Amino acid sequence: MHDSYIHVRGAREHNLRDVDVDIPRDALVVFTGVSGSGKSSLAFGTLYAESQRRYFESVAPYARRLIHQVGAPEVGEITGLPPAVSLEQRRSAPSSRSSVGTVTTLSNSLRMLFSRAGDYPEGAERLDSDAFSPNTAAGACPECHGLGLVHRTTEALLVPDPALSVREGAIAAWPGAWQGKNLRDVLDTLGYDVDKPWRDLPQQERDWILFTDEQPVVTVHPVRDAGRIQRPYQGTYMSAQRYVLHTFADTKSQSLRAKAERFLTSDPCPACDGRRLRPESLAVTFAGRTISELAALPLSELDRVLHTPPGTETARVLTDDLRARIAVVTELGLGYLGLDRTTPTLSGGELQRLRLATQLRSGLFGVVYVLDEPSAGLHPADAEALLVVLDRLKAAGNSVFVVEHHLDVVRRADWLVDVGPAAGVHGGRVLHSGPPAGLADVPDSATRPYLFAHEPLPVREVREPSGWLKLGPVTRHNLHDVEAELPLATLTAVTGVSGSGKSTLAASITEELPGVQRLVTMDQKPIGRTPRSNLATYTGLFDVVRKLFTQTPEARARGYRAGRFSFNVSGGRCETCQGEGFVSVELLFLPSTYTPCPDCHGARYNPETLQVTHQGLNIAQVLDLTVERAADFFADSPAAARSLRALLDVGLGYLTLGQPATELSGGEAQRIKLASELQRATTRRGPTLYVLDEPTTGLHPADVEVLMRQLHGLVDAGNTVVVVEHDMSVVAGADWVIDLGPGGGDAGGRVVAAGPPREVAGSPESRTAPYLAREFAGRA
């Protein structure tokens, strides 16, 4: 008989403890559990990784060498596993060239439409589709290279104080230290008066000094300092404008780039008028409009334009395909976006749904879709559209495996795999695998009390604000002259559907606003991208630990300094593995495998460093301690104890001090940031304003409770907390709500309701109100 299950035997990836589980195919399967329990290790680290490995096995060995392959997961055996497609939560690298059109590939179809069915000027040569892309040499405007903007600078920006001379630093854009002195010496050698006030120099000289493209080379004879011999050298001149543009375009340093940006203004390109394309590409039209005009339209409007009966069979085929692709995106509630909208301006929820739309259109059959929290960053109203899409993927003959915390998605599941009971070393077991109703009989499950709770929320007295902070008028993205008032010494939730302008409003809170003494912003970026960044290094705890080791009698006798106990610099680390603890073994057409370092056996340090002990443990053994055990071990060290107490307070006691950043879940990384701030808060004076962008993303409802205890503690201590949030349990527990909307994009961007949560829950115009009211009434 046909077996409709995937059978997993002996899964040991990360913290999974020899897990055996059977999961049905052709079903919506949701993996639940607290943050760090092992659900992603089972869904992504085991099932998806094994499916990928099997696919690569079918690829020719030579081609496999060119593909970055994930290693084989730690699992005994998996049977019945179909091919898998992964949709993980990730932000794209911020690039002005990445847009809605490139993410969804809709821009490819639109370019083909103009290439094959566009109206060309009489006698014009037909263009290839690449000629309609601002990201190719064939299509990009030669003046702005397809960016639509040109960066310029002015004398007023480059020389803010014309009373100064060149030698006194009149040209603020020039670098400091030796490089700036060199440029001044070269100017002096060229015959320019570097000691006369800038304003007194002739305009012709000022223009040459700031804007020339010439780079003359001269022999510089430096002024000799007493007791110091400085020989003549060949110096090359570079104008201030050239230096700023070169630095802005080529530097890898964020600080240097930010400094250069201060001396630049961005204006629409005069050659293409900001439309990014060559004149010959902009001369082609379809339905009377250029491709840049169509790309700027909201997708719902673009669909109406393309609905006009086309003139040729080619045009009909291409417009039908384009409209079918647009329909999937608008079905997910994103019809307000234009194809030229850049991805850095999109919210996480918008980006996730765009990727889903692309998969939905692909029409694959018989595969496993593995999704990582698809509801993250989505308003409850948007999550309903998501559930329709998941049902369509399943109805098309696919299996949908979802790692999820959103209870509405969990309730919709055909099958539930609950992992736990707790996180890290206290988790890694499958507590329940079956229909969701069966979880009611599992007392150890952290998910059970939230899934089956029906009691109304008790009435909570909201805090009285100590004052008010005026925001705006804000005009950015879809916000136009928006104003709002923020109560101080309270917890405020900023709500609204995805794309309504919440993050834009929160970003307008700056330290320059009257009433803000200190501002701390916590975003969703990971705490590190390499295994060298870990829990101890990020929180600053490692500095304290290394200092304690340098104070031991053995370290003092050997003259060891703090750097000796770092695995990131030479001296104390094992040089065979460069302090990594493992070495990579290249297997050519098989995935590279990692094995413990043959010299240090994973300890990361050389034998001499490991001979130094503190209270009986060496530095490698200390890094292997969990936060819970380390809190007892370092009880006598106030600095270490403070860091560890903050980590325990946010529920991260199960992590080890040396846990690599790459092995942390999104929820864990967010709470580590909060813990780092909490330990600083105990030593600060004066109230702080904390702005958090969706802090509950990636958190189980049990973890949300732990997080909210800490945030309420910050408010009780006199601070102000602002959270951009979709979780209605968090919004219901706030003191004040600012709801934006009513829709996304141009349909949103204004404050539709503001006040205590129970008042906003009754707002007739707010799309958040019915979900907030349901939270107060208790979920059915």
Side-chain angles (χ1 to χ4, degrees):
M1 289 180 64
H2 175 66
D3 188 352
S4 59
Y5 282 79
I6 298 168
H7 303 279
V8 179
R9 297 292 178 263
R12 302 177 300 280
E13 193 70 16
H14 294 145
N15 67 329
L16 296 180
R17 294 197 271 176
D18 222 18
V19 164
D20 295 346
V21 64
D22 299 328
I23 304 168
R25 291 195 300 270
D26 306 323
L28 174 58
V29 180
V30 176
F31 295 78
T32 58
V34 296
S35 184
S37 61
K39 54 190 184 303
S40 291
S41 298
L42 181 57
F44 285 94
T46 304
L47 290 167
Y48 174 67
E50 175 63 11
S51 177
Q52 280 286 84
R53 187 193 68 77
R54 291 182 185 182
Y55 166 69
F56 286 138
E57 286 283 310
S58 68
V59 176
Y62 181 78
R64 259 184 272 165
R65 297 172 61 178
L66 309 177
I67 303 170
H68 175 69
Q69 301 176 58
V70 291
E74 289 280 324
V75 63
E77 181 187 34
I78 302 180
T79 57
L81 181 62
V85 173
S86 161
L87 277 176
E88 294 191 65
Q89 273 284 354
R90 67 188 191 279
R91 295 289 311 186
S92 295
S95 164
S96 55
R97 293 192 182 275
S98 176
S99 65
V100 170
T102 58
V103 169
T104 58
T105 69
L106 281 167
S107 56
N108 294 349
S109 300
L110 189 64
R111 295 202 315 266
M112 186 62 71
L113 178 67
F114 269 77
S115 172
R116 299 291 186 268
D119 296 321
Y120 285 75
E122 193 172 338
E125 189 178 323
R126 192 161 289 277
L127 301 173
D128 189 68
S129 64
D130 276 0
F132 296 96
S133 170
N135 299 330
T136 64
C141 164
E143 181 74 19
C144 64
H145 306 290
L147 290 173
L149 296 171
V150 288
H151 298 294
R152 290 202 174 94
T153 188
T154 63
E155 182 176 348
L157 286 171
L158 296 170
V159 186
D161 186 358
L164 299 175
S165 68
V166 172
R167 198 184 299 280
E168 290 169 334
I171 305 174
W174 267 352
W178 183 88
Q179 197 178 357
K181 181 180 182 302
N182 166 56
L183 289 168
R184 290 191 291 273
D185 287 346
V186 171
L187 260 189
D188 191 19
T189 306
L190 286 167
Y192 290 91
D193 192 339
V194 295
D195 294 304
K196 185 185 285 189
W198 179 263
R199 66 162 73 97
D200 296 338
L201 292 174
Q203 187 64 48
Q204 186 178 353
E205 290 188 12
R206 285 166 21 196
D207 288 345
W208 191 89
I209 291 169
L210 294 180
F211 304 115
T212 184
D213 285 328
E214 297 176 45
Q215 290 186 284
V217 179
V218 296
T219 302
V220 178
H221 297 271
V223 177
R224 295 182 185 277
D225 295 333
R228 191 171 168 205
I229 298 174
Q230 290 184 300
R231 294 182 174 82
Y233 65 90
Q234 297 295 103
T236 304
Y237 184 70
M238 181 185 287
S239 68
Q241 175 180 262
R242 191 182 184 95
Y243 171 77
V244 168
L245 291 173
H246 174 76
T247 303
F248 182 73
D250 296 340
T251 185
K252 298 288 189 289
S253 165
Q254 285 298 322
S255 58
L256 280 178
R257 185 181 172 86
K259 184 188 174 188
E261 203 168 357
R262 295 206 304 268
F263 303 105
L264 292 170
T265 58
S266 295
D267 300 306
C269 171
C272 66
D273 198 25
R275 293 180 293 176
R276 306 173 66 190
L277 293 167
R278 292 176 177 272
E280 52 267 37
S281 304
L282 293 169
V284 184
T285 61
F286 184 85
R289 307 195 200 203
T290 66
I291 190 167
S292 63
E293 288 170 338
L294 289 184
L297 293 176
L299 286 169
S300 52
E301 178 64 26
L302 177 60
D303 183 59
R304 280 193 286 273
V305 171
L306 297 176
H307 184 60
T308 309
T312 65
E313 179 63 16
T314 304
R316 187 192 65 76
V317 171
L318 289 168
T319 52
D320 285 353
D321 175 70
L322 196 51
R323 291 189 66 213
R325 292 172 183 273
I326 291 171
V328 182
V329 181
T330 52
E331 183 185 359
L332 281 167
L334 298 172
Y336 58 86
L337 294 176
L339 291 182
D340 61 358
R341 174 85 175 264
T342 55
T343 52
T345 67
L346 298 172
S347 70
E350 289 169 326
L351 206 50
Q352 178 88 320
R353 281 183 289 164
L354 285 177
R355 294 195 188 105
L356 259 177
T358 309
Q359 287 299 326
L360 201 61
R361 174 65 187 161
S362 68
L364 289 176
F365 170 84
V367 304
V368 175
Y369 283 96
V370 190
L371 288 83
D372 186 13
E373 295 174 48
S375 72
L378 292 191
H379 187 274
D382 299 318
E384 290 182 359
L386 168 74
L387 287 167
V388 172
V389 168
L390 297 183
D391 285 342
R392 281 185 56 191
L393 281 175
K394 186 181 76 171
N398 299 296
S399 309
V400 183
F401 291 179
V402 183
V403 174
E404 190 53 88
H405 296 298
H406 196 293
L407 294 175
D408 286 342
V409 180
V410 176
R411 290 189 180 97
R412 184 71 74 93
D414 302 311
W415 193 269
L416 197 60
V417 178
D418 193 56
V419 185
V425 294
H426 307 301
R429 292 192 291 118
V430 172
L431 304 177
H432 171 71
S433 179
L439 191 66
D441 302 323
V442 184
D444 287 349
S445 169
T447 308
R448 183 180 65 93
Y450 300 95
L451 196 58
F452 303 105
H454 306 296
E455 300 81 17
L457 285 180
V459 177
R460 190 181 74 81
E461 192 173 330
V462 298
R463 300 176 180 91
E464 282 295 321
S466 64
W468 294 84
L469 186 70
K470 188 175 182 304
L471 301 182
V474 182
T475 299
R476 189 162 180 254
H477 297 154
N478 66 331
L479 301 187
H480 300 287
D481 290 329
V482 169
E483 296 185 25
E485 285 197 317
L486 196 69
L488 298 174
T490 64
L491 175 64
T492 297
V494 182
T495 60
V497 298
S498 185
S500 59
K502 305 181 296 298
S503 296
T504 306
L505 182 66
S508 72
I509 303 172
T510 64
E511 282 189 314
E512 284 72 45
L513 290 175
V516 178
Q517 295 184 30
R518 178 172 174 261
L519 178 67
V520 173
T521 303
M522 279 181 241
D523 55 27
Q524 299 180 41
K525 293 176 184 171
I527 66 167
R529 298 188 182 279
T530 71
R532 289 190 180 279
S533 177
N534 60 34
L535 179 68
T537 56
Y538 184 82
T539 57
L541 178 62
F542 200 34
D543 296 334
V544 178
V545 171
R546 289 187 294 139
K547 190 174 180 182
L548 287 174
F549 270 84
T550 61
Q551 293 168 356
T552 60
E554 184 70 21
R556 284 181 173 176
R558 298 185 183 203
Y560 288 171
R561 297 183 181 275
R564 179 83 194 190
F565 299 98
S566 171
F567 51 77
N568 288 328
V569 294
S570 57
R573 72 183 182 186
C574 169
E575 290 303 326
T576 304
C577 62
Q578 302 279 294
E580 295 271 7
F582 53 82
V583 290
S584 172
V585 180
E586 181 62 57
L587 300 179
L588 294 181
F589 54 81
L590 290 174
S592 297
T593 187
Y594 293 94
T595 182
C597 173
D599 287 352
C600 69
H601 306 290
R604 294 180 162 206
Y605 295 92
N606 59 33
E608 293 76 22
T609 307
L610 295 175
Q611 286 168 5
V612 179
T613 60
H614 174 69
Q615 296 182 32
L617 297 183
N618 62 36
I619 186 75
Q621 291 167 331
V622 165
L623 287 173
D624 283 338
L625 292 175
T626 63
V627 171
E628 290 169 335
R629 289 175 56 204
D632 295 330
F633 184 78
F634 290 112
D636 297 334
S637 169
R642 188 171 63 242
S643 289
L644 293 163
R645 170 51 50 194
L647 289 165
L648 286 170
D649 286 344
V650 294
L652 296 175
Y654 60 90
L655 294 178
T656 62
L657 301 188
Q659 186 110 13
T662 51
E663 292 181 11
L664 296 168
S665 69
E668 288 166 339
Q670 190 113 34
R671 283 184 288 165
I672 289 170
K673 290 181 184 179
L674 181 62
S676 300
E677 181 51 41
L678 287 173
Q679 66 176 359
R680 292 191 197 102
T682 59
T683 61
R684 300 274 182 184
R685 293 288 179 268
T688 300
L689 198 160
Y690 296 91
V691 180
L692 295 91
D693 193 0
E694 297 179 36
T696 63
T697 297
L699 294 190
H700 187 275
D703 298 316
V704 172
E705 286 191 2
V706 173
L707 174 71
M708 295 315 297
R709 275 200 298 272
Q710 297 307 312
L711 296 184
H712 281 294
L714 286 172
V715 178
D716 291 337
N719 301 296
T720 304
V721 176
V722 178
V723 293
V724 174
E725 195 50 77
H726 292 298
D727 189 320
M728 290 298 114
S729 68
V730 174
V731 179
D735 301 303
W736 193 261
V737 177
I738 299 174
D739 189 55
L740 293 169
D746 292 339
R750 60 187 180 87
V751 176
V752 294
R758 288 185 184 270
E759 280 185 24
V760 172
S763 169
E765 196 180 355
S766 166
R767 288 184 66 186
T768 304
Y771 301 96
L772 188 53
R774 190 175 77 169
E775 186 69 31
F776 282 122
R779 288 172 178 266

